[in-house]
Amino acid sequence: MRRSPAVVGYAIAGTAALLVGAQLIGRFELAGKAWPPLTDVIAYVATPAGGSLLLRNLVVTLESAAKGLVIGIAVAVIGAALALVVPILRPGLDRFSAILHAVPTIALAPLLITTAGREATPTVIAALSVGFLMFVTMTSAFANGSAAHADVFTVLGASRFARLTRFELPRAIPSFFDGLTLCAPAAVLGATIGEWFGAPMGLGLLIVSSMQNFQMSLLWAAAIAATLVSLAAYLAFTRLQRFVAGRFA
């Protein structure tokens, strides 16, 4: 679906206004010295040392986020399917996922560090962030099925597993990609937060260390990089979701 020129124009104008506003706030120190001009951040990233440092840590964060995304999706889909095939497990899985999601990351991180290790903690936290969103998405998709189609499978004597593979999973594909649009940014955010707790590398580590050493250009460069990656992931999966929705509509 093509966007109208007016919509594109508004988007460009809004982005330009945001960039100009950020530059003016930093240049005139309207938010203090902790908000540097955008040109200073760009100049830092343009240096060989600054750009190389940011790129190396960005790759580490992307790797942790990608692993967490795959693991979280796999566990969530399997859990949702298990709850459908074995209905007696549904209440327990719902409560377990809700309780696990409600535990603050700062309380969970020390346990993960001592069990999974510092390097794996960002991946685990990303997987937990993704898993809850996808589990809720898939259980809702399975619950909103057509009663008439379900009755046909029942009359034909289909097993729960046959209904899952031939009816529920194909019908839930659009919802699955809807969940992906939310899970991708959550994976990046989860990996970045997980790196705050002592990971050897990553954007989260850069944010914490630069904040402690008052390296504002590096702090903002890392924060902006994480934001742009999350936005890019969201836009990519949104386009994929629109294609899938049109294909299965």
Side-chain angles (χ1 to χ4, degrees), residues 72-148:
I73 288 174
V75 173
V77 172
I78 292 173
L82 189 62
L84 180 67
V85 175
V86 188
I88 195 174
L89 297 179
R90 173 67 186 271
L93 289 173
D94 285 346
R95 293 189 184 95
F96 177 74
S97 63
I99 291 172
L100 195 60
H101 181 68
V103 176
T105 303
I106 195 171
L108 194 61
L111 177 61
L112 294 176
I113 290 173
T114 56
T115 54
R118 294 184 182 275
E119 293 186 358
T121 294
T123 299
V124 176
I125 293 179
L128 291 174
S129 302
V130 169
F132 178 77
L133 292 173
M134 186 56 72
F135 180 78
V136 172
T137 299
M138 294 305 292
T139 52
S140 298
F142 290 154
N144 294 329
S146 170

Side-chain angles (χ1 to χ4, degrees), residues 188-209:
V188 177
L189 177 60
T192 304
I193 293 176
E195 291 164 350
W196 291 3
F197 302 102
M201 288 187 69
L203 293 179
L205 176 64
L206 280 188
I207 292 173
V208 173
S209 62

Side-chain angles (χ1 to χ4, degrees), residues 28 56 70 103 111 123 143 151 165-166 199 202 207 224 241 247:
F28 294 103
R56 291 197 307 271
V70 173
V103 176
L111 177 61
T123 299
D151 290 340
T165 56
R166 298 184 181 183
I207 292 173
I224 291 173
Q241 183 270 336
R247 174 67 177 79

Side-chain angles (χ1 to χ4, degrees), residues 2-230:
R2 287 194 170 186
R3 298 180 182 272
S4 66
V7 173
V8 175
Y10 287 138
I12 295 175
T15 303
L18 177 64
L19 296 177
V20 171
Q23 173 67 16
L24 293 177
I25 291 173
R27 180 60 60 192
F28 294 103
E29 297 186 357
L30 300 179
K33 295 185 178 297
W35 187 308
L38 191 58
T39 50
D40 289 358
V41 178
I42 296 174
Y44 175 82
V45 176
T47 63
S52 176
L53 177 64
L54 186 65
L55 181 60
R56 291 197 307 271
N57 286 273
L58 175 60
V59 170
V60 172
T61 299
L62 287 177
E63 183 179 354
S64 298
K67 290 179 180 178
L69 181 66
V70 173
I71 294 172
I73 288 174
V75 173
V77 172
I78 292 173
L82 189 62
L84 180 67
V85 175
V86 188
I88 195 174
L89 297 179
R90 173 67 186 271
L93 289 173
D94 285 346
R95 293 189 184 95
F96 177 74
S97 63
I99 291 172
L100 195 60
H101 181 68
V103 176
T105 303
I106 195 171
L108 194 61
L111 177 61
L112 294 176
I113 290 173
T114 56
T115 54
R118 294 184 182 275
E119 293 186 358
T121 294
T123 299
V124 176
I125 293 179
L128 291 174
S129 302
V130 169
F132 178 77
L133 292 173
M134 186 56 72
F135 180 78
V136 172
T137 299
M138 294 305 292
T139 52
S140 298
F142 290 154
N144 294 329
S146 170
H149 287 88
D151 290 340
V152 171
F153 276 82
T154 302
V155 171
L156 293 176
S159 64
R160 292 186 184 275
F161 183 76
R163 288 177 57 178
L164 172 67
T165 56
R166 298 184 181 183
F167 172 56
E168 299 291 354
L169 282 177
R171 187 184 53 80
I173 288 177
S175 296
F176 173 80
F177 283 92
D178 284 340
L180 279 181
T181 61
L182 300 176
C183 290
V188 177
L189 177 60
T192 304
I193 293 176
E195 291 164 350
W196 291 3
F197 302 102
M201 288 187 69
L203 293 179
L205 176 64
L206 280 188
I207 292 173
V208 173
S209 62
S210 59
M211 180 174 57
Q212 293 173 342
N213 296 292
F214 207 73
Q215 297 174 292
M216 291 299 105
S217 293
L218 176 58
L219 171 64
W220 279 84
I224 291 173
T227 302
L228 292 178
V229 168
S230 296

